[in-house]
Amino acid sequence: MKLDKMVGDRFKEKPTDCVIDSHALMMRGGYMKDIAKGIYSQYPPLKRICQKIERIIREEMDAIDGQEVLFPVVMSSNIWEESGRYESIGSEMLRFTDRNGAKMLLGMTHEEAAVHLVRDYANSYQNYPFMIYQIQTKFRDEARPRAGLIRVREFTMKDAYSFHTSQEDLEEYYQVVYEAYNRIFARAGVPEVITVKSDSGMMGGSVAHEYMLLTPVGEDSLAICDECDFRANMEAAESIIKNEKNGPDEPLTKVHTPGKQTIEDVCEFLKTPVEQSCKAVMYQKNMDDEYVVVFLRGDLDVNETKLTNYLGEDVHPAEVTPESGLHAGYTGPVNLTISGKPTVIYDKSLQGTNNLSCGANEDEYHYTGLCMERDIPDAEYVDVAKITEGGICPKCGKPAIKISRGIEVGNIFQLGTKYTKSMNMTYLDAEGQTQTPIMGCYGIGVGRLAASVCEAHHDEYGPIWPITIAPWQVHLCALRVDDQATREFADNLYDELQKKGVEVIYDDRKARPGVMFSDADLLGVPIRLVVSPRNMEESVVELSTRDKSVQEKVSLDGVVARVEALIKELTDAIEAKK
């Protein structure tokens, strides 16, 4: 392709609404254009990158016996009502009514469609196991789309669904997919992607892993142990607290604390450490607005994913009314009276502790000397706190947890029978008995992966695309095309490289070298060739790589062979990491 014919512009200025580098560079480089909040059109460079990512995914899915199918973007509500998710999923799912009054929706995931597609076919144990996958557009009405393709509303995703007759078979295949995903990310040029244990969320299931690219701009918080191989999303990481008594039990004493509503203010007033306090965090259930009060150690925060998983439903911050019985800033576990049918939860960080400060359930008063065993003898303790930096590792038991940031580029779930059972998918086993198949689910966001690679591999001038997914393999710049010898050689080189199957973007514009090189940096093509009158006088072509690891002059008659060899070297270096 010739650069002057390519649709899309490149520009120097960083867009003001871009919060991360990859978003800014892909907007500046003519990769995409926003058509609505969180919805983008793709220009040719990004389309080519995504096509190459999709090809890698297809090759790896086909290699593990995946069969490609295609589900519709628009679906009837019927199958989602079967699974129970039509009502349980919130406003992230876009629902609408068609002209005939039928309830419809835009697919944000396709478990229901997968079961619907195969439940009539897979009615005998002899049809199992099998895996189907698609690469399809999805829509999730994300409340806060940001960071370009990292968090969008419309996106392209590979989602795969496997069906099994035993948990053992699912676990065996889960490991096969696990390894295939490692190969996909290595081939895409980000072998540094790590796996972390995750929460299965609305997908359901008992075991789930996310593939994370570690980066300071990541949206997910990850708990990583420096002493062992423990890695988990903060939402799924168990918080382990070493609880110790603080000397002999002190009497429970009410203290006047005027205007002291925050834990920090109270502890400063009492001259006690925050760790020696019990705080209340108040919510209401989304379904019926009944109150939920969580008590935990004052220096910790509630992990709302753990909380909603424990409750089995979503919550929102509480609106404390005079009728509720709650006292904002002064709520505590002793003599607690709440209207309605409240749920009171005690985090494990309080178990076995004493001499704590806490609210006295009376405005402007707190207690000191709270002893959980003595004062709340019937308390049952659960883990609903966020794991912290320097916390105890759930695997090796050492205080070596580090909190890092990451971008989720893929996920895998052991779904169990959540969908097959609710949608009445069954098969007959070898004894003629009716059984329910077990499912696995495996996803990769194509556009998000492209943006993540850009985030991992760029400099201040533009992306540095790996050869395996780069929009083109070679960027040919012809300086001074008004020089006949330069023009003729560059044109012939362009034709010869194309005949050899090399992907070339050819810049033969009458532009200044600085403009050409700036555009080349923004396009991030791995190999750059520069033909100029001065080079022609020396009978050479300047060859360099976008990452500056190779910079050399190649003889005119040897340039094609050198390019082919370098493409192979760069490709082999990536393939060796899979």
Side-chain angles (χ1 to χ4, degrees):
M1 172 176 280
K2 290 194 174 182
L3 186 59
D4 68 336
K5 300 297 184 184
M6 186 172 71
V7 175
D9 295 317
R10 291 150 301 283
F11 50 91
K12 293 181 179 180
E13 297 79 14
K14 178 181 176 179
T16 56
D17 60 342
C18 295
V19 297
I20 65 172
D21 291 339
S22 59
H23 185 196
L25 292 174
M26 294 177 82
M27 293 296 289
R28 287 180 53 209
Y31 291 84
M32 59 193 192
K33 184 176 183 180
D34 57 314
I35 196 169
K37 196 171 184 180
I39 303 175
Y40 293 87
S41 296
Q42 296 183 4
Y43 286 115
L46 179 56
K47 179 61 177 174
R48 292 174 68 93
I49 290 167
C50 289
Q51 284 177 324
K52 291 185 176 183
I53 292 174
E54 291 174 13
R55 186 180 69 222
I56 291 171
I57 290 172
R58 283 191 171 94
E59 289 173 357
E60 293 296 341
M61 292 297 98
D62 291 347
I64 58 173
D65 298 324
Q67 302 177 62
E68 187 168 4
V69 298
L70 188 65
F71 304 120
V73 177
V74 177
M75 288 175 279
S76 166
S77 67
N78 294 343
I79 57 175
W80 287 73
E81 288 170 343
E82 283 187 61
S83 72
R85 289 206 298 176
Y86 186 74
E87 296 296 339
S88 65
I89 292 178
S91 56
E92 294 87 358
M93 186 163 70
L94 188 62
R95 302 163 174 86
F96 63 98
T97 304
D98 70 11
R99 66 195 302 169
N100 298 313
K103 293 187 294 185
M104 312 294 285
L105 58 92
L106 294 185
M108 55 191 293
T109 182
H110 281 81
E111 285 76 15
E112 287 83 356
V115 172
H116 176 268
L117 182 71
V118 301
R119 64 180 168 185
D120 295 329
Y121 155 77
N123 54 16
S124 168
Y125 74 96
Q126 295 176 321
N127 298 123
Y128 293 83
F130 62 91
M131 184 268 273
I132 55 177
Y133 76 94
Q134 68 163 349
I135 298 176
Q136 174 63 295
T137 300
K138 298 177 184 287
F139 187 88
R140 176 188 175 97
D141 202 4
E142 177 65 52
R144 293 175 295 278
R146 62 179 292 277
L149 298 180
I150 301 298
R151 180 185 281 188
V152 291
R153 293 197 291 163
E154 182 184 278
F155 53 97
T156 299
M157 187 173 181
K158 186 282 301 178
D159 48 324
Y161 307 93
S162 65
F163 294 79
H164 310 267
T165 58
S166 70
Q167 179 63 27
E168 292 76 20
D169 190 58
L170 169 60
E171 291 173 1
E172 182 179 337
Y173 192 72
Y174 189 84
Q175 185 62 34
V176 171
V177 179
Y178 183 97
E179 293 167 356
Y181 268 41
N182 288 334
R183 292 193 297 272
I184 288 169
F185 296 123
R187 291 181 63 187
V190 280
E192 59 268 41
V193 167
I194 66 169
T195 55
V196 301
K197 181 182 177 183
S198 67
D199 175 72
S200 56
M202 71 173 182
M203 308 297 288
S206 57
V207 178
H209 289 84
E210 292 170 335
Y211 289 77
M212 289 285 183
L213 178 66
L214 296 181
T215 169
V217 302
E219 294 191 311
D220 289 276
S221 295
L222 313 177
I224 300 173
C225 180
D226 285 338
E227 296 292 333
C228 71
D229 61 354
F230 175 81
R231 297 178 300 223
N233 193 300
M234 202 169 183
E235 294 179 343
E238 180 184 4
S239 175
I240 299 176
I241 303 296
K242 187 177 180 181
N243 296 336
E244 296 178 341
K245 285 211 168 189
N246 183 34
D249 292 349
E250 298 173 357
L252 188 66
T253 304
K254 186 185 290 187
V255 179
H256 188 215
T257 53
K260 309 301 181 184
Q261 290 185 282
T262 69
I263 283 293
E264 291 76 17
D265 287 345
V266 172
C267 291
E268 183 180 355
F269 180 80
L270 298 174
K271 295 181 172 52
T272 57
V274 177
E275 294 84 353
Q276 204 58 36
S277 66
C278 166
K279 73 178 178 183
V281 185
M282 294 171 284
Y283 300 92
Q284 287 174 276
K285 296 179 180 179
N286 286 3
M287 296 292 290
D288 55 17
D289 273 345
E290 291 290 357
Y291 285 101
V292 177
V293 180
V294 180
F295 292 106
L296 73 168
R297 206 172 74 180
D299 60 320
L300 301 178
D301 294 315
V302 174
N303 184 323
E304 293 185 1
T305 299
K306 291 182 186 177
L307 176 61
T308 55
N309 287 344
Y310 175 75
L311 295 171
E313 59 182 295
D314 290 332
V315 296
H316 59 272
E319 180 181 350
V320 178
T321 64
E323 301 79 24
S324 68
L326 296 170
H327 299 263
Y330 301 98
T331 298
V334 179
N335 300 322
L336 177 65
T337 303
I338 310 173
S339 63
K341 298 178 181 178
T343 302
V344 179
I345 297 172
Y346 299 94
D347 183 67
K348 286 184 176 180
S349 59
L350 297 177
Q351 190 168 11
T353 58
N354 69 339
N355 299 336
L356 306 175
S357 61
C358 67
N361 296 308
E362 181 181 343
D363 287 350
E364 302 201 337
Y365 284 90
H366 282 79
Y367 282 124
T368 61
L370 172 68
C371 173
M372 294 301 296
E373 292 177 350
R374 180 193 66 201
D375 301 319
I376 317 292
D378 298 328
E380 296 182 3
Y381 300 92
V382 295
D383 172 30
V384 290
K386 288 182 180 179
I387 195 169
T388 59
E389 182 88 19
I392 297 172
C393 173
K395 184 172 183 178
C396 71
K398 297 179 181 178
I401 289 295
K402 179 177 66 176
I403 305 300
S404 300
R405 306 290 293 178
I407 299 172
E408 179 192 341
V409 292
N411 50 56
I412 55 179
F413 302 89
Q414 292 184 25
L415 293 177
T417 60
K418 174 179 171 66
Y419 299 95
T420 51
K421 188 173 183 178
S422 64
M423 297 181 68
N424 297 313
M425 180 178 177
T426 61
Y427 67 93
L428 295 180
D429 64 18
E431 284 73 42
Q433 300 297 311
T434 300
Q435 305 290 347
T436 302
I438 301 170
M439 284 181 70
C441 172
Y442 320 93
I444 293 178
V446 175
R448 175 178 282 197
L449 179 54
S452 298
V453 174
C454 179
E455 191 63 41
H457 300 289
H458 71 272
D459 58 21
E460 60 182 306
Y461 305 108
I464 303 173
W465 296 112
I467 191 79
T468 47
I469 67 167
W472 294 272
Q473 296 167 318
V474 174
H475 193 126
L476 173 60
C477 297
L479 308 185
R480 292 280 312 278
V481 290
D482 57 328
D483 179 81
Q484 184 176 355
T486 299
R487 180 72 190 219
E488 288 181 357
F489 182 82
D491 286 351
N492 290 334
L493 179 58
Y494 175 56
D495 292 340
E496 190 173 354
L497 287 170
Q498 288 190 303
K499 289 176 183 177
K500 293 286 188 178
V502 177
E503 301 168 3
V504 188
I505 182 75
Y506 179 24
D507 190 352
D508 63 347
R509 298 172 297 171
K510 294 180 180 178
R512 300 189 306 276
V515 173
M516 281 191 173
F517 296 153
S518 176
D519 283 352
D521 286 339
L522 283 170
L523 289 174
V525 176
I527 300 172
R528 185 181 307 177
L529 299 176
V530 178
V531 181
S532 68
R534 184 172 62 183
N535 289 338
M536 294 302 298
E537 290 176 5
E538 299 178 22
S539 298
V540 297
V541 171
E542 292 180 41
L543 181 152
S544 61
T545 52
R546 176 65 182 83
D547 63 3
K548 306 295 192 297
S549 62
V550 175
Q551 291 180 308
E552 58 191 42
K553 292 184 177 181
V554 184
S555 64
L556 298 181
D557 58 356
V559 64
V560 173
R562 176 61 181 128
V563 166
E564 289 182 307
L566 185 54
I567 290 173
K568 186 176 186 306
E569 289 174 25
L570 296 175
T571 304
D572 289 349
I574 290 176
E575 293 287 339
K577 296 177 181 178
K578 69 181 182 179

